[in-house]
Amino acid sequence: GRRGRSQPDAESGVRLAERVIAALQTEPAVCGRVAVATVGGGFLFHDGIAVLLANQRPRLGPSTTRIVTWQPADGALRLVDRDGRMLRSAADRGLVEALAPLELPTTTGVTAAARARSGGWRSVGLQGGLDDPARIVKTLAEAARLAAGAE
């Protein structure tokens, strides 16, 4: 972690994922199935998401799977409407509309969603949130629920 600041709630990615799953269980029923994963791969390449999706393509096909990624960063949680390190790509419009009830400000950035889109998946990224770690779990769970119902 960075000096002077712990990770969100001083938790590992696995523990944070467990909390997202628990929060999803308290929300209204989701249409479809929601998977929550923590992947590595580094900020520059996001190869962890690429490996996960390539390995799970038969189960998580691009035509039926919606992907919401979260890139921890300082500042308020924001929806990344255009992302990528060099060639920016637009977030999936249907997912942006589905997540509108979250009322998140938009930004450009670098998230794993761009890597997922390059493989053919519908995806949108969230970035930030470390200034309000208590809100992260609830917002990620709600984003997953909304994305699962996206057209």
mmCIF file with all atom_site columns, all heavy atoms in Angstrom, residues 130-142:
data_model
loop_
_atom_site.group_PDB
_atom_site.id
_atom_site.type_symbol
_atom_site.label_atom_id
_atom_site.label_alt_id
_atom_site.label_comp_id
_atom_site.label_asym_id
_atom_site.label_entity_id
_atom_site.label_seq_id
_atom_site.pdbx_PDB_ins_code
_atom_site.Cartn_x
_atom_site.Cartn_y
_atom_site.Cartn_z
_atom_site.occupancy
_atom_site.B_iso_or_equiv
_atom_site.pdbx_formal_charge
_atom_site.auth_seq_id
_atom_site.auth_comp_id
_atom_site.auth_asym_id
_atom_site.auth_atom_id
_atom_site.pdbx_PDB_model_num
ATOM 1   N N   . LEU A 1 130 ? -11.244 5.658  -3.066 1.00 0.00 ? 130 LEU A N   1
ATOM 2   C CA  . LEU A 1 130 ? -10.474 5.468  -1.845 1.00 0.00 ? 130 LEU A CA  1
ATOM 3   C C   . LEU A 1 130 ? -10.712 6.580  -0.832 1.00 0.00 ? 130 LEU A C   1
ATOM 4   O O   . LEU A 1 130 ? -10.370 6.435  0.332  1.00 0.00 ? 130 LEU A O   1
ATOM 5   C CB  . LEU A 1 130 ? -8.983  5.351  -2.163 1.00 0.00 ? 130 LEU A CB  1
ATOM 6   C CG  . LEU A 1 130 ? -8.599  4.087  -2.939 1.00 0.00 ? 130 LEU A CG  1
ATOM 7   C CD1 . LEU A 1 130 ? -7.097  4.034  -3.163 1.00 0.00 ? 130 LEU A CD1 1
ATOM 8   C CD2 . LEU A 1 130 ? -9.071  2.837  -2.231 1.00 0.00 ? 130 LEU A CD2 1
ATOM 9   N N   . ASP A 1 131 ? -11.318 7.687  -1.261 1.00 0.00 ? 131 ASP A N   1
ATOM 10  C CA  . ASP A 1 131 ? -11.655 8.755  -0.320 1.00 0.00 ? 131 ASP A CA  1
ATOM 11  C C   . ASP A 1 131 ? -12.910 8.424  0.484  1.00 0.00 ? 131 ASP A C   1
ATOM 12  O O   . ASP A 1 131 ? -13.215 9.088  1.464  1.00 0.00 ? 131 ASP A O   1
ATOM 13  C CB  . ASP A 1 131 ? -11.857 10.087 -1.056 1.00 0.00 ? 131 ASP A CB  1
ATOM 14  C CG  . ASP A 1 131 ? -10.540 10.660 -1.558 1.00 0.00 ? 131 ASP A CG  1
ATOM 15  O OD1 . ASP A 1 131 ? -9.492  10.010 -1.362 1.00 0.00 ? 131 ASP A OD1 1
ATOM 16  O OD2 . ASP A 1 131 ? -10.566 11.740 -2.159 1.00 0.00 ? 131 ASP A OD2 1
ATOM 17  N N   . ASP A 1 132 ? -13.661 7.405  0.045  1.00 0.00 ? 132 ASP A N   1
ATOM 18  C CA  . ASP A 1 132 ? -14.885 7.008  0.736  1.00 0.00 ? 132 ASP A CA  1
ATOM 19  C C   . ASP A 1 132 ? -14.990 5.482  0.716  1.00 0.00 ? 132 ASP A C   1
ATOM 20  O O   . ASP A 1 132 ? -15.875 4.918  0.091  1.00 0.00 ? 132 ASP A O   1
ATOM 21  C CB  . ASP A 1 132 ? -16.104 7.643  0.060  1.00 0.00 ? 132 ASP A CB  1
ATOM 22  C CG  . ASP A 1 132 ? -17.383 7.465  0.867  1.00 0.00 ? 132 ASP A CG  1
ATOM 23  O OD1 . ASP A 1 132 ? -17.327 6.893  1.970  1.00 0.00 ? 132 ASP A OD1 1
ATOM 24  O OD2 . ASP A 1 132 ? -18.438 7.897  0.382  1.00 0.00 ? 132 ASP A OD2 1
ATOM 25  N N   . PRO A 1 133 ? -14.064 4.788  1.404  1.00 0.00 ? 133 PRO A N   1
ATOM 26  C CA  . PRO A 1 133 ? -14.039 3.328  1.317  1.00 0.00 ? 133 PRO A CA  1
ATOM 27  C C   . PRO A 1 133 ? -15.306 2.652  1.814  1.00 0.00 ? 133 PRO A C   1
ATOM 28  O O   . PRO A 1 133 ? -15.638 1.561  1.352  1.00 0.00 ? 133 PRO A O   1
ATOM 29  C CB  . PRO A 1 133 ? -12.824 2.927  2.157  1.00 0.00 ? 133 PRO A CB  1
ATOM 30  C CG  . PRO A 1 133 ? -12.473 4.114  2.965  1.00 0.00 ? 133 PRO A CG  1
ATOM 31  C CD  . PRO A 1 133 ? -12.985 5.310  2.232  1.00 0.00 ? 133 PRO A CD  1
ATOM 32  N N   . ALA A 1 134 ? -16.036 3.279  2.699  1.00 0.00 ? 134 ALA A N   1
ATOM 33  C CA  . ALA A 1 134 ? -17.269 2.656  3.202  1.00 0.00 ? 134 ALA A CA  1
ATOM 34  C C   . ALA A 1 134 ? -18.303 2.526  2.086  1.00 0.00 ? 134 ALA A C   1
ATOM 35  O O   . ALA A 1 134 ? -19.150 1.635  2.123  1.00 0.00 ? 134 ALA A O   1
ATOM 36  C CB  . ALA A 1 134 ? -17.839 3.482  4.352  1.00 0.00 ? 134 ALA A CB  1
ATOM 37  N N   . ARG A 1 135 ? -18.236 3.381  1.101  1.00 0.00 ? 135 ARG A N   1
ATOM 38  C CA  . ARG A 1 135 ? -19.211 3.381  0.004  1.00 0.00 ? 135 ARG A CA  1
ATOM 39  C C   . ARG A 1 135 ? -18.851 2.386  -1.097 1.00 0.00 ? 135 ARG A C   1
ATOM 40  O O   . ARG A 1 135 ? -19.701 1.988  -1.885 1.00 0.00 ? 135 ARG A O   1
ATOM 41  C CB  . ARG A 1 135 ? -19.298 4.789  -0.577 1.00 0.00 ? 135 ARG A CB  1
ATOM 42  C CG  . ARG A 1 135 ? -20.353 4.946  -1.628 1.00 0.00 ? 135 ARG A CG  1
ATOM 43  C CD  . ARG A 1 135 ? -20.487 6.397  -2.064 1.00 0.00 ? 135 ARG A CD  1
ATOM 44  N NE  . ARG A 1 135 ? -21.413 6.478  -3.173 1.00 0.00 ? 135 ARG A NE  1
ATOM 45  C CZ  . ARG A 1 135 ? -21.329 7.359  -4.138 1.00 0.00 ? 135 ARG A CZ  1
ATOM 46  N NH1 . ARG A 1 135 ? -20.394 8.264  -4.137 1.00 0.00 ? 135 ARG A NH1 1
ATOM 47  N NH2 . ARG A 1 135 ? -22.210 7.357  -5.118 1.00 0.00 ? 135 ARG A NH2 1
ATOM 48  N N   . ILE A 1 136 ? -17.591 1.979  -1.165 1.00 0.00 ? 136 ILE A N   1
ATOM 49  C CA  . ILE A 1 136 ? -17.125 1.143  -2.270 1.00 0.00 ? 136 ILE A CA  1
ATOM 50  C C   . ILE A 1 136 ? -17.934 -0.141 -2.393 1.00 0.00 ? 136 ILE A C   1
ATOM 51  O O   . ILE A 1 136 ? -18.442 -0.467 -3.457 1.00 0.00 ? 136 ILE A O   1
ATOM 52  C CB  . ILE A 1 136 ? -15.627 0.815  -2.128 1.00 0.00 ? 136 ILE A CB  1
ATOM 53  C CG1 . ILE A 1 136 ? -14.795 2.070  -2.328 1.00 0.00 ? 136 ILE A CG1 1
ATOM 54  C CG2 . ILE A 1 136 ? -15.211 -0.249 -3.135 1.00 0.00 ? 136 ILE A CG2 1
ATOM 55  C CD1 . ILE A 1 136 ? -13.340 1.876  -1.986 1.00 0.00 ? 136 ILE A CD1 1
ATOM 56  N N   . VAL A 1 137 ? -18.036 -0.892 -1.315 1.00 0.00 ? 137 VAL A N   1
ATOM 57  C CA  . VAL A 1 137 ? -18.700 -2.201 -1.370 1.00 0.00 ? 137 VAL A CA  1
ATOM 58  C C   . VAL A 1 137 ? -20.138 -2.060 -1.824 1.00 0.00 ? 137 VAL A C   1
ATOM 59  O O   . VAL A 1 137 ? -20.591 -2.762 -2.725 1.00 0.00 ? 137 VAL A O   1
ATOM 60  C CB  . VAL A 1 137 ? -18.616 -2.921 -0.008 1.00 0.00 ? 137 VAL A CB  1
ATOM 61  C CG1 . VAL A 1 137 ? -19.534 -4.127 0.038  1.00 0.00 ? 137 VAL A CG1 1
ATOM 62  C CG2 . VAL A 1 137 ? -17.179 -3.335 0.267  1.00 0.00 ? 137 VAL A CG2 1
ATOM 63  N N   . LYS A 1 138 ? -20.878 -1.138 -1.217 1.00 0.00 ? 138 LYS A N   1
ATOM 64  C CA  . LYS A 1 138 ? -22.286 -0.948 -1.585 1.00 0.00 ? 138 LYS A CA  1
ATOM 65  C C   . LYS A 1 138 ? -22.425 -0.549 -3.047 1.00 0.00 ? 138 LYS A C   1
ATOM 66  O O   . LYS A 1 138 ? -23.276 -1.061 -3.771 1.00 0.00 ? 138 LYS A O   1
ATOM 67  C CB  . LYS A 1 138 ? -22.906 0.117  -0.675 1.00 0.00 ? 138 LYS A CB  1
ATOM 68  C CG  . LYS A 1 138 ? -24.378 0.340  -0.909 1.00 0.00 ? 138 LYS A CG  1
ATOM 69  C CD  . LYS A 1 138 ? -24.908 1.355  0.102  1.00 0.00 ? 138 LYS A CD  1
ATOM 70  C CE  . LYS A 1 138 ? -26.388 1.542  0.024  1.00 0.00 ? 138 LYS A CE  1
ATOM 71  N NZ  . LYS A 1 138 ? -26.903 2.006  -1.221 1.00 0.00 ? 138 LYS A NZ  1
ATOM 72  N N   . THR A 1 139 ? -21.582 0.355  -3.517 1.00 0.00 ? 139 THR A N   1
ATOM 73  C CA  . THR A 1 139 ? -21.674 0.828  -4.900 1.00 0.00 ? 139 THR A CA  1
ATOM 74  C C   . THR A 1 139 ? -21.283 -0.258 -5.889 1.00 0.00 ? 139 THR A C   1
ATOM 75  O O   . THR A 1 139 ? -21.929 -0.423 -6.923 1.00 0.00 ? 139 THR A O   1
ATOM 76  C CB  . THR A 1 139 ? -20.805 2.081  -5.103 1.00 0.00 ? 139 THR A CB  1
ATOM 77  O OG1 . THR A 1 139 ? -21.211 3.081  -4.162 1.00 0.00 ? 139 THR A OG1 1
ATOM 78  C CG2 . THR A 1 139 ? -20.957 2.633  -6.505 1.00 0.00 ? 139 THR A CG2 1
ATOM 79  N N   . LEU A 1 140 ? -20.237 -1.028 -5.580 1.00 0.00 ? 140 LEU A N   1
ATOM 80  C CA  . LEU A 1 140 ? -19.842 -2.112 -6.480 1.00 0.00 ? 140 LEU A CA  1
ATOM 81  C C   . LEU A 1 140 ? -20.939 -3.172 -6.578 1.00 0.00 ? 140 LEU A C   1
ATOM 82  O O   . LEU A 1 140 ? -21.219 -3.686 -7.655 1.00 0.00 ? 140 LEU A O   1
ATOM 83  C CB  . LEU A 1 140 ? -18.537 -2.746 -6.022 1.00 0.00 ? 140 LEU A CB  1
ATOM 84  C CG  . LEU A 1 140 ? -17.280 -1.890 -6.150 1.00 0.00 ? 140 LEU A CG  1
ATOM 85  C CD1 . LEU A 1 140 ? -16.079 -2.645 -5.592 1.00 0.00 ? 140 LEU A CD1 1
ATOM 86  C CD2 . LEU A 1 140 ? -17.038 -1.477 -7.579 1.00 0.00 ? 140 LEU A CD2 1
ATOM 87  N N   . ALA A 1 141 ? -21.552 -3.500 -5.458 1.00 0.00 ? 141 ALA A N   1
ATOM 88  C CA  . ALA A 1 141 ? -22.636 -4.486 -5.479 1.00 0.00 ? 141 ALA A CA  1
ATOM 89  C C   . ALA A 1 141 ? -23.816 -3.965 -6.286 1.00 0.00 ? 141 ALA A C   1
ATOM 90  O O   . ALA A 1 141 ? -24.404 -4.692 -7.095 1.00 0.00 ? 141 ALA A O   1
ATOM 91  C CB  . ALA A 1 141 ? -23.062 -4.821 -4.050 1.00 0.00 ? 141 ALA A CB  1
ATOM 92  N N   . GLU A 1 142 ? -24.160 -2.705 -6.096 1.00 0.00 ? 142 GLU A N   1
ATOM 93  C CA  . GLU A 1 142 ? -25.279 -2.122 -6.857 1.00 0.00 ? 142 GLU A CA  1
ATOM 94  C C   . GLU A 1 142 ? -24.932 -2.047 -8.338 1.00 0.00 ? 142 GLU A C   1
ATOM 95  O O   . GLU A 1 142 ? -25.785 -2.307 -9.200 1.00 0.00 ? 142 GLU A O   1
ATOM 96  C CB  . GLU A 1 142 ? -25.618 -0.731 -6.296 1.00 0.00 ? 142 GLU A CB  1
ATOM 97  C CG  . GLU A 1 142 ? -26.768 -0.050 -7.008 1.00 0.00 ? 142 GLU A CG  1
ATOM 98  C CD  . GLU A 1 142 ? -28.118 -0.735 -6.860 1.00 0.00 ? 142 GLU A CD  1
ATOM 99  O OE1 . GLU A 1 142 ? -28.230 -1.701 -6.082 1.00 0.00 ? 142 GLU A OE1 1
ATOM 100 O OE2 . GLU A 1 142 ? -29.070 -0.308 -7.526 1.00 0.00 ? 142 GLU A OE2 1
#
